[in-house]
Amino acid sequence: MIMRRRLIPDIVNLQAFECAARHQNFSRAAEELNLTQSAVSRQISELEQQTGLKLFERVRQRVVLSEAGLRLLPEVKDLLLRSERLMIGAVASGQMKLSLKVATLPTFGTRWLVPRLGHFLEEHRDVAVTMESRSKPFSFDEDNFDLAIHYGLPAWAGAVATFLCNETVLPVAGRQLAGRLKLGGPEDLSLAPLLHLTTRPKLWAQWFDLQKLPTEHAYPGARFDQFSMIIAAAISGLGVALLPTYLIEEELQTGALLPLFELPMPTENSYYVVMAEKKQTNQIAMLFQDWLVSQVTPPSQATTTK
């Protein structure tokens, strides 16, 4: 993508705009920025000339954001925040020999990856690791990640997918709810409150169908957009959840969640480590990928797909 240099704003002008908008006062903005009021006015004027927008209006001896300024402010705040994070990350990684940036599915990262990460960091103390959550595929060209954890099919434009693990879900409930439910068999779950993941609305129906049960009772119930929320809801006794076993290892061990039936169901898709094709020569990214695979499958079972 070719950038239009004349449209790239001066970060100093954006800081002046954000500060003046926050205080609704050029003098107070100047004090915070350690500038003169005329300097702040000039910087905002330059931004207005560059954008062609009137960003402030004077009302009773004070300045307030115009409609155009109100629209621009959230994006300026976001840009300044990302710029600050970029510099902090650069300074932090600059003190280390190597850096690694990983995108992970939110619950997978919290429940599976992070608890194991200490082993990798212990062996590689010179690596600065940054992890961010991503729920959907993204462009490696636009987001500078070294690799990503992906659930679905082994297909990602401009990247190579390496198999990590399959997924098996199991019907579970919190200790108190499990004690109250009178379940003689899987068919009795049609009378129990069910918890659903919004991105997988047919999961319970697939489990009912696997047990050769009618599916009309498989859809009602509370819905959540993250497995982490469903886990919390199940522990709190809000309903029965169909959860991946790898996400609830600790809860199964402690008894916070109890399997209602030993009737697991493998899901249709799998988990993959995805790496941009241009990152295939990145030794630390390849090392981290191999480490991830070693946590779940013997190396001989790993497969790679373009």
Side-chain angles (χ1 to χ4, degrees), residues 12-301:
V12 173
N13 293 348
L14 295 181
Q15 286 179 311
F17 168 67
E18 185 278 332
C19 194
R22 179 158 33 84
H23 290 295
Q24 295 191 35
N25 185 292
F26 283 14
S27 296
R28 291 177 62 184
E31 290 177 8
E32 179 178 324
L33 297 172
N34 197 27
L35 297 171
T36 64
Q37 180 179 344
S38 61
V40 170
S41 298
R42 183 179 67 255
Q43 290 166 353
I44 292 174
S45 176
E46 289 175 358
L47 186 60
E48 288 180 327
Q49 292 175 15
Q50 188 175 22
T51 61
L53 301 173
K54 182 178 177 60
L55 301 176
F56 288 94
E57 296 176 351
R58 290 197 171 273
V59 177
R60 298 176 185 175
Q61 296 184 340
R62 66 188 181 94
V63 292
V64 297
L65 283 171
S66 65
E67 290 188 11
L70 286 169
R71 290 194 302 270
L72 185 63
L73 182 59
E75 296 187 47
V76 169
K77 286 182 175 180
D78 180 64
L79 180 58
L80 291 174
L81 182 60
R82 287 190 287 118
S83 298
E84 182 182 49
R85 288 174 179 169
L86 182 150
M87 292 306 297
I88 291 174
V91 171
S93 62
Q95 298 173 0
M96 310 287 278
K97 291 182 179 179
L98 300 167
S99 64
L100 181 71
K101 189 174 180 182
V102 182
T104 179
L105 297 163
T107 308
F108 183 94
T110 302
R111 313 275 310 181
W112 188 90
L113 180 52
V114 171
R116 291 168 168 81
L117 185 61
H119 299 295
F120 180 84
L121 296 178
E122 185 68 23
E123 296 177 4
H124 306 282
R125 295 177 178 271
D126 58 344
V127 179
V129 177
T130 299
M131 289 204 174
E132 296 183 14
S133 61
R134 291 289 188 276
S135 298
K136 298 179 180 178
F138 54 85
S139 170
F140 278 100
D141 290 332
E142 297 179 6
D143 289 303
N144 190 30
F145 287 102
D146 294 302
L147 48 81
I149 307 298
H150 169 60
Y151 173 79
L153 298 174
W156 193 307
V160 177
T162 298
F163 175 78
L164 184 59
C165 61
N166 292 317
E167 180 184 71
T168 300
V169 294
L170 189 69
V172 298
R175 190 190 302 272
Q176 292 184 350
L177 178 60
R180 293 198 306 268
L181 293 172
K182 306 299 182 183
L183 301 175
E187 64 278 1
D188 294 331
L189 276 183
S190 62
L191 303 176
L194 303 181
L195 304 176
H196 301 268
L197 186 67
T198 55
T199 54
R200 303 197 208 173
K202 297 181 180 179
L203 197 60
W204 268 114
Q206 292 167 351
W207 187 86
F208 273 54
D209 188 58
L210 184 64
Q211 313 311 321
K212 298 181 169 53
L213 297 172
T215 60
E216 61 264 24
H217 299 294
Y219 296 103
R223 284 169 164 71
F224 304 86
D225 71 346
Q226 297 288 341
F227 269 132
S228 57
M229 287 193 282
I230 297 182
I231 293 170
I235 293 173
S236 300
L238 299 185
V240 179
L242 199 55
L243 292 170
T245 53
Y246 72 89
L247 291 183
I248 52 173
E249 293 171 341
E250 181 177 348
E251 287 75 13
L252 291 175
Q253 290 175 0
T254 62
L257 289 175
L258 300 176
L260 299 183
F261 304 102
E262 288 297 337
L263 295 172
M265 179 183 75
T267 56
E268 297 175 345
N269 295 320
S270 301
Y271 286 85
Y272 297 88
V273 185
V274 181
M275 190 184 306
E277 292 178 349
K278 63 184 180 182
K279 296 283 186 177
Q280 295 296 297
T281 57
N282 185 324
Q283 292 186 348
I284 191 61
M286 294 296 294
L287 186 66
F288 188 74
Q289 175 180 275
D290 292 342
W291 173 81
L292 282 171
V293 172
S294 74
Q295 299 300 298
V296 289
T297 58
S300 60
Q301 295 183 19

